[in-house]
């Protein structure tokens, strides 16, 4: 996990200050299984979206429609 920077992300009518956190998951052989940038809002203590294929023509952002606290 690597924090790459700060930015603003809109979710519905709200805007949040988020940290762009690069996450890469690898298998035991060191091959990349998944890589994305999580947009984490420290104020909410939650990730609001994931950005895939960053910097390419296939870049996409998958935002969450609702945010709910985890059940205990």
């Amino acid at each position: 996990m690597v924090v790459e920077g700060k930015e603003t992300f809109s979710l519905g009518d709200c805007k949040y200050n988020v940290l762009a956190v690069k996450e890469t998951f690898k298998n035991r052989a060191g091959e990349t299984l998944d890589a994305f940038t999580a947009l984490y809002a420290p104020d909410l203590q939650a990730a609001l979206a994931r950005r895939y294929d960053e910097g390419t023509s296939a870049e996409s952002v998958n935002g969450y429609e609702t945010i709910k606290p985890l059940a205990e």
Side-chain angles (χ1 to χ4, degrees):
M1 230 186 281
V2 176
V3 176
E4 294 189 326
K6 296 178 183 180
E7 56 189 84
T8 301
F9 181 75
S10 295
L11 182 63
D13 293 335
C14 300
K15 289 185 179 182
Y16 298 95
N17 293 320
V18 297
L19 298 174
V21 181
K22 182 75 173 183
E23 295 192 48
T24 304
F25 296 92
K26 297 184 179 197
N27 63 16
R28 290 184 181 184
E31 299 166 328
T32 299
L33 300 173
D34 194 13
F36 58 87
T37 299
L39 301 178
Y40 177 76
D43 292 342
L44 299 176
Q45 297 182 357
L48 302 182
R50 287 184 177 183
R51 185 166 43 221
Y52 292 92
D53 298 318
E54 194 166 17
T56 71
S57 61
E59 182 174 307
S60 65
V61 177
N62 298 329
Y64 301 106
E65 292 183 20
T66 59
I67 301 169
K68 298 178 184 177
L70 296 174
E72 291 186 29

